[in-house]
Amino acid sequence: MNLMILELAVVVLGLGILLGDLWTAAHQKHLLGYAAAALLGVILLASFFGLEQVGSGPAYAFNNMLVLDGLAVFFKRFFLIAAILVLLMSVEFSNRIQSGISEFYCLILFALTGMMFAASANDFIMVFVALELISVTFYVLNSFQRNRLASLEAGIKYLILSALSAAFLVFGIALVFGTTTFTNFADIQRALVANPALAGNGLFLLGVLMIIVGLGFKIAAFPFQIWAPDVYQGSPTPSTAFLAVGSKAAGIVLLLRVLFVAVPAVTQHWSKLLIIISAITILYGNLCAIPQRNLKRLLGYSSISNAGYLLLGFAALSQAGKAAILYYLAGYLFTVVAAFTVICLVTRDRDSDDITVLAGLHRRSPLLAMALTMAMVSLAGIPPLAGFFGKFLLLKAVVEQGATNSAYYWLVGITVFGVVISLYYYFGVIRAIYWSKDVTDFSPITVSWPAKLSLVVCMAAILYLGLLPGKPLKLSEDSALALTTPVSGSKQLFH
Amino acid sequence: MKPVGLEHYLVVSGLLFCLGLWGVIVRRNLLIIYMSLELMLNAANLALVAFSRFNNKLDGQVMVFFVITVAAAEVAVGLALIVALYRKKQSAHVEDLTTMKS
């Protein structure tokens, strides 16, 4: 019970917001978002006092379905921070949502619960339920602007493709369960060690592949990325931001656990597959982003390429790679939230997300211009910001593996090529801010203090993660320790 | 005649899954696509129950309960979305989902 106290607190908060809605006057309802964000902040602080037992090793609950270890705690805090920043963004967005703004906040909290359960999942049943909790809430979040056709379309596209990936996931789980007779990660790992022939069983491998399909959809890796640009473009901006950060990170943590805890033997064998997916995802995301003129669509393609960078850490198959994934995600969180907050504020009075709305932003609001510039520079991977150091760690992990397989050097080459391409479109955004010719609108943009606070926090975090990487790197290395393969001899399975 | 064994169930479940996938790919009506998706989920359910029965373990059956429950929730939200789209657009065909063509 103690292990899911944070999730319970978030659910109670969500229900509380729904109830609070009944006693709040219509013109004040948007303020509930601030209340929710503040209370999530309290939960986040409480997580630093209530979870000390983590230091003494992982704790399990519900017949080992839930695990609370360093990795789970890292991701729970990650999701809490993301939700707080997204809630602050949603308040700025509230004037564009006709009705039910408190339901919007409450759905964000429920999606957050799903993500936090995903961080703790140690059993395929748990994986399925947590993922579906995230998906179903996002169907509604993505189509929340019911009177905007683009938003509805985004919701329906996400619905169909997410349900399709869920079907693959369940069938994969069925096959893995059928061949190993277990759904628990640790049990499956033990079964693989006890019976090495299993790792060559076609049905079992097909099952693992289908599970990877289901999770690959969540992180928008090639070839399951087709939904991302449309859904990112059509959804309300706060939903897009939460989708880009929270949903992707939930997919990453589940992929980490499945690949390195449940089926490490298969993962060793499939490093080539991971290398190929990672390389194609990076190339696809970066090449397709070049001609985009819609800011949210551009960030959609950028999010695909970032999924590719994150997969580098998986392909490296090393402890350094896993730690680099966590570090990169932390930088990605603040960068993407900063970018979407600026987009949300700039497009407040307009109906368009076109890149031209940024024209003259540095005169209309220097803070917004600076935040967006920092976000773009960090995404492009220019030192000294968070994105640079994250990419550096990922590439370092890949290069270290180069001795075992020369394909890793190719992967590094392709990544560097991708990063160079990305400079072009990220700087296109910066150019649109500072050097646009036809600036027509010089009216200053007023930014409320909570939004200012969230932007300042994001910028400080981007700088901190880029300049002083010591402490956060230690934290991500410690968190990744949960993913060490404890069962010895798993590498000999294929001899 | 051979008694009905695990393979028979798995073949049926595999066929149902492929049938569902085929429907999702070729059909153009959102409702039919949604039905095909449910077919895929139920194919997985059949496989889970069959494995459960032949492995003498109940985990698969428990999983099926979760899948059915979650699928019900998913259908509730999904049909609501399709109805909302139909009201707006007077169509439930995938060809008409082109607002964001760039």
Side-chain angles (χ1 to χ4, degrees):
Chain A
M1 199 61 173
N2 203 7
L3 300 191
M4 44 187 273
I5 193 87
L6 292 181
E7 286 86 346
L8 287 180
V10 173
V11 171
V12 169
L13 176 58
L15 296 176
I17 295 288
L18 270 187
L19 270 182
D21 175 56
L22 298 176
W23 286 283
T24 318
H27 65 281
Q28 283 177 331
K29 281 194 176 148
H30 67 278
L31 297 174
L32 282 170
Y34 290 139
L39 289 170
L40 274 189
V42 173
I43 296 175
L44 178 67
L45 279 182
S47 81
F48 286 94
F49 299 104
L51 301 171
E52 319 86 342
Q53 79 269 28
V54 176
S56 57
Y60 296 92
F62 299 110
N63 207 7
N64 293 345
M65 283 179 91
L66 267 180
V67 59
L68 193 68
D69 52 13
L71 187 74
V73 174
F74 175 92
F75 271 98
K76 278 177 211 269
R77 287 180 187 145
F78 175 96
F79 293 133
L80 279 169
I81 295 173
I84 293 172
L85 296 173
V86 169
L87 277 170
L88 292 179
M89 193 193 307
S90 318
V91 179
E92 303 302 320
F93 198 80
S94 57
N95 62 334
R96 273 169 279 179
I97 288 177
Q98 247 76 11
S99 61
I101 184 67
S102 18
E103 281 89 343
F104 192 78
Y105 300 143
C106 146
L107 282 169
I108 289 178
L109 294 175
F110 291 154
L112 169 67
T113 317
M115 292 165 192
M116 288 166 81
F117 274 124
S120 276
N122 196 38
D123 189 296
F124 276 119
I125 299 181
M126 199 66 215
V127 170
F128 173 73
V129 175
L131 268 190
E132 285 302 292
L133 180 51
I134 301 172
S135 299
V136 175
T137 41
F138 267 110
Y139 301 156
V140 187
L141 281 175
N142 286 342
S143 48
F144 214 87
Q145 292 173 293
R146 262 178 303 158
N147 47 353
R148 246 183 85 233
L149 198 53
S151 177
L152 266 182
E153 266 191 41
I156 287 197
K157 281 177 183 166
Y158 190 70
L159 167 80
I160 299 288
L161 292 169
S162 175
L164 185 65
S165 80
F168 272 93
L169 181 78
V170 180
F171 206 84
I173 294 174
L175 291 179
V176 169
F177 166 71
T179 42
T180 59
T181 74
F182 294 110
T183 55
N184 192 283
F185 291 171
D187 289 335
I188 290 173
Q189 189 194 38
R190 256 175 256 130
L192 271 173
V193 174
N195 180 11
L198 204 56
N201 182 330
L203 269 188
F204 174 72
L205 292 180
L206 182 65
V208 175
L209 191 66
M210 287 174 115
I211 290 170
I212 295 179
V213 170
L215 296 176
F217 168 84
K218 273 269 163 290
I219 67 168
F222 187 87
F224 323 111
Q225 86 299 356
I226 19 167
W227 59 277
D230 278 1
V231 174
Y232 276 54
Q233 182 186 345
S235 303
T237 313
S239 315
T240 315
F242 208 34
L243 195 65
V245 176
S247 177
K248 191 188 285 281
I252 292 284
V253 65
L254 289 177
L255 212 51
L256 278 170
R257 284 215 198 266
V258 169
L259 288 181
F260 295 114
V261 180
V263 294
V266 180
T267 313
Q268 295 283 343
H269 203 49
W270 279 2
S271 61
K272 279 212 182 69
L273 179 74
L274 290 171
I275 292 175
I276 293 170
I277 294 184
S278 164
I280 300 182
T281 310
I282 292 173
L283 282 182
Y284 179 91
N286 283 323
L287 287 173
C288 291
I290 294 175
Q292 301 307 327
R293 302 290 301 161
N294 182 298
L295 278 172
K296 279 157 81 183
R297 201 175 178 83
L298 179 89
L299 284 171
Y301 283 109
S302 142
S303 143
I304 296 175
S305 65
N306 277 295
Y309 298 139
L310 287 163
L311 282 170
L312 289 175
F314 286 93
L317 298 178
S318 62
Q319 219 38 47
K322 295 167 207 163
I325 293 174
L326 301 191
Y327 195 93
Y328 191 78
L329 266 179
Y332 182 73
L333 159 68
F334 295 107
T335 315
V336 167
V337 170
F340 278 113
T341 307
V342 174
I343 293 175
C344 178
L345 289 165
V346 173
T347 59
R348 190 164 43 190
D349 313 314
R350 321 240 185 132
D351 199 28
S352 127
D353 299 321
D354 196 80
I355 201 162
T356 48
V357 297
L358 294 176
L361 185 62
H362 62 299
R363 292 209 215 157
R364 297 178 67 197
S365 168
L367 175 76
L368 294 187
M370 197 168 100
L372 191 58
T373 310
M374 268 182 76
M376 288 301 139
V377 171
S378 171
L379 277 173
I382 303 219
L385 300 180
F388 164 75
F389 201 74
K391 285 193 183 69
F392 171 75
L393 287 174
L394 286 167
L395 282 176
K396 186 163 150 263
V398 173
V399 170
E400 278 166 1
Q401 295 294 310
T404 57
N405 185 345
S406 59
Y408 283 111
Y409 291 125
W410 282 100
L411 187 56
V412 172
I414 288 174
T415 310
V416 173
F417 178 63
V419 170
V420 172
I421 301 174
S422 72
L423 289 179
Y424 173 76
Y425 61 84
Y426 288 133
F427 277 86
V429 175
I430 296 174
R431 198 176 55 217
I433 300 175
Y434 295 96
W435 294 286
S436 279
K437 292 261 161 29
D438 43 346
V439 186
T440 48
D441 186 2
F442 286 107
S443 57
I445 301 175
T446 48
V447 184
S448 67
W449 69 264
K452 263 185 200 153
L453 181 71
S454 108
L455 282 175
V456 169
V457 166
C458 287
M459 288 195 282
I462 295 171
L463 272 176
Y464 175 71
L465 286 168
L467 291 171
L468 303 164
K471 257 196 188 165
L473 183 58
K474 180 83 179 45
L475 175 70
S476 33
E477 275 166 357
D478 289 347
S479 309
L481 279 182
L483 294 165
T484 41
T485 319
V487 189
S488 58
S490 59
K491 275 188 185 169
Q492 286 128 38
L493 282 180
F494 294 97
H495 299 303
Chain B
M1 214 171 105
K2 230 175 112 186
V4 176
L6 178 59
E7 300 80 31
H8 298 86
Y9 287 104
L10 288 189
V11 168
V12 171
S13 135
L15 279 178
L16 279 178
F17 190 83
C18 294
L19 207 61
L21 187 59
W22 177 247
V24 172
I25 294 169
V26 299
R27 296 306 290 261
R28 304 284 84 182
N29 187 304
L30 280 171
L31 282 172
I32 308 253
I33 290 179
Y34 214 58
M35 252 168 62
S36 308
L37 284 168
E38 292 302 309
L39 194 62
M40 289 171 80
L41 277 178
N42 283 321
N45 283 347
L46 181 63
L48 276 168
V49 173
F51 277 129
S52 226
R53 170 73 181 72
F54 284 89
N55 286 335
N56 276 324
K57 285 200 78 175
L58 283 177
D59 298 26
Q61 313 238 16
V62 175
M63 172 93 193
V64 170
F65 281 122
F66 280 106
V67 175
I68 292 175
T69 321
V70 168
E74 205 165 354
V75 167
V77 175
L79 288 182
L81 273 185
I82 295 174
V83 168
L85 180 83
Y86 188 82
R87 282 207 184 139
K88 192 94 193 157
K89 196 133 196 182
Q90 300 301 318
S91 147
H93 278 262
V94 277
E95 287 95 353
D96 297 325
L97 298 178
T98 50
T99 313
M100 284 168 290
K101 269 257 167 70
S102 58

